[in-house]
Amino acid sequence: MLIENRLVAYVVLALLVALVVSFLMTPVVKTFAYKVGAIDVPKDNRRMHKVPIPRLGGLAIFIGFMVSILLFAEINTEMKSILLGAVIIVVLGVVDDIMALPAMLKFVIQIAAALIPALNGVQILAFSNPNIFSQSLYWVLGGLSVPFTVLWIVAITNAVNLIDGLDGLANGVSAISATTMLVIALVGGQTQVSIVLAALVGACVGFMPYNMNPAKMFMGDTGATFLGFILATMSIQGLFKYYAVVSFVVPFLILGLPIFDTAFAFIRRIAHGQSPMHADRSHIHHRLIDMGLNQKQAVATLYVISAILGLSAVVLTTGGEQKAMLLFLTLCIVGVVAARVVFPKEVREELHEELEELKEHGHHQEEKKDEEG
């Protein structure tokens, strides 16, 4: 019990220190953003704000996180590799927030940053077999471990960045995901993972007052990619390593919102004959705004969805698959019913518009084939 109390004390201290430092550093970083010209100017219909707002808020999150980590975490080889990769991601984000960099260059640097922890012990070695009819409970990746790990880190890094479209959305969803992982780590007695996640939660919460609608400052790519990178690497350290039997499901539940949003956007773009990297208004938060919700309502809705997924993940790791499935299905049914009651007209219109778009695209494709024939 003494060890548990000490762990909780360290976790609380790590969270509070990160929170205070992040909160105090944000005005300083805001001044710096104005000096270097890291300003987000609303120049297309994807942006929800109407006036220029400084970026680089992620730098305050990073500083708060690092101060807490250096004070409370054990800096072993694996942790060093994670922090080094995070520094590269943050430097890349800062440069990109000041002057936009080519997507391919950012992608290559992200892969290099992900390789550092992947080659220093932060690896997905195995995960549960999604084939329920198989006799093998989990798959051992073997030689595929490093490429699979890099793919996971880069994918989550960019998924969190892609949901950063409304005031407080990416920051809040990341805080909820990190809190979920923190609870699971505490239950499992994972000291190092718990402290790191507590620092991440504190850093996010410290920046929150400046980022909630109407936002005084954005986290920018600096913050969104940093949060994605830490969430990805800590999910490997705390979930894939300790919960191999359910590791296929748990990380996908916790990070379900950014994963689903990214996958949905990519599939929709490909279905419409566009590049999957083409920026548009196909993200979930854009659709909620188009349904008539304001920014605060849309963000609150996505917070609830993220919390439902996180709660299901906690129950799955502590109470078993059946309880988690029942909870998840119950909450989903409640969510669907609530959506139909609160937004019946908007739901029907959105579904109708989506079907019409797909039909129209299909007709265009057929006409194109006939012309070519």
Side-chain angles (χ1 to χ4, degrees):
M1 194 65 182
L2 181 61
I3 296 176
E4 292 179 3
N5 290 339
R6 185 180 298 174
L7 174 56
V8 171
Y10 274 117
V11 163
V12 172
L13 285 172
L15 191 153
L16 290 176
V17 168
L19 188 156
V20 171
V21 174
S22 175
F23 179 78
L24 294 177
M25 285 302 300
T26 301
V28 179
V29 172
K30 185 177 180 180
T31 302
F32 176 70
Y34 276 115
K35 286 184 177 180
V36 298
I39 309 297
D40 195 310
V41 179
K43 56 187 177 182
D44 54 49
N45 65 348
R46 291 187 302 110
R47 287 168 167 79
M48 297 291 107
H49 57 290
K50 305 299 180 184
V51 296
I53 295 177
R55 292 191 288 246
L56 282 184
L59 200 54
I61 296 175
F62 172 71
I63 294 171
F65 174 81
M66 286 298 294
V67 170
S68 184
I69 290 299
L70 293 175
L71 286 175
F72 299 105
E74 179 187 350
I75 312 297
N76 54 23
T77 302
E78 292 181 356
M79 196 64 223
K80 284 180 183 177
S81 67
I82 291 173
L83 294 179
L84 179 57
V87 168
I88 293 173
I89 290 294
V90 168
V91 171
L92 174 65
V94 169
V95 175
D96 189 43
D97 282 335
I98 296 172
M99 50 181 181
L101 296 174
M104 186 54 66
L105 174 62
K106 292 191 288 185
F107 188 64
V108 171
I109 296 175
Q110 287 173 356
I111 291 174
L115 273 170
I116 297 172
L119 294 174
N120 285 277
V122 183
Q123 296 178 5
I124 302 173
L125 302 175
F127 58 84
S128 55
N129 191 346
N131 182 7
I132 60 174
F133 301 105
S134 175
Q135 294 182 345
S136 178
L137 290 177
Y138 54 89
W139 290 341
V140 178
L141 293 174
L144 294 175
S145 179
V146 170
F148 198 93
T149 299
V150 170
L151 175 63
W152 173 257
I153 294 174
V154 173
I156 299 302
T157 297
N158 285 284
V160 173
N161 191 27
L162 287 173
I163 66 167
D164 187 24
L166 297 179
D167 296 349
L169 179 56
N171 189 38
V173 168
S174 297
I176 293 170
S177 298
T179 301
T180 304
M181 290 189 203
L182 173 58
V183 172
I184 294 173
L186 283 171
V187 171
Q190 303 167 42
T191 303
Q192 176 81 330
V193 175
S194 298
I195 291 173
V196 174
L197 289 169
L200 191 65
V201 173
C204 288
V205 174
F207 179 64
M208 192 73 75
Y210 298 94
N211 195 223
M212 294 301 290
N213 183 262
K216 302 177 186 69
M217 190 171 193
F218 293 152
M219 67 167 66
D221 280 10
T222 304
T225 53
F226 166 70
L227 292 176
F229 185 86
I230 297 298
L231 286 171
T233 51
M234 296 319 297
S235 70
I236 295 170
Q237 293 294 83
L239 300 175
F240 283 106
K241 283 190 176 182
Y242 288 89
Y243 297 95
V245 178
V246 293
S247 62
F248 182 81
V249 180
V250 175
F252 281 86
L253 278 175
I254 295 174
L255 300 166
L257 184 59
I259 291 173
F260 173 80
D261 181 52
T262 302
F264 179 77
F266 278 26
I267 291 170
R268 186 177 184 279
R269 291 165 189 171
I270 293 171
H272 285 77
Q274 300 172 332
S275 166
M277 303 306 293
H278 174 71
D280 58 16
R281 286 179 56 88
S282 65
H283 293 285
I284 297 174
H285 51 269
H286 288 133
R287 291 180 172 274
L288 291 174
I289 295 294
D290 292 340
M291 286 171 62
L293 276 67
N294 59 38
Q295 282 208 49
K296 290 181 180 179
Q297 291 171 330
V299 170
T301 300
L302 295 174
Y303 280 0
V304 171
I305 292 172
S306 186
I308 289 173
L309 293 171
L311 184 58
S312 300
V314 171
V315 175
L316 179 59
T317 55
T318 58
E321 293 88 342
Q322 292 181 343
K323 287 184 179 179
M325 186 60 68
L326 285 172
L327 173 67
F328 181 67
L329 289 175
T330 302
L331 292 175
C332 283
I333 292 170
V334 171
V336 171
V337 172
R340 292 300 296 260
V341 171
V342 179
F343 309 110
K345 182 181 177 182
E346 291 85 348
V347 170
R348 286 196 301 270
E349 288 178 353
E350 184 69 16
L351 289 173
H352 179 72
E353 288 176 8
E354 186 64 27
L355 288 172
E356 288 298 319
E357 282 185 22
L358 289 174
K359 286 179 182 178
E360 187 178 342
H361 179 69
H363 290 319
H364 285 319
Q365 291 290 87
E366 290 178 5
E367 290 174 2
K368 189 176 180 181
K369 286 181 181 178
D370 291 339
E371 290 175 2
E372 291 176 353

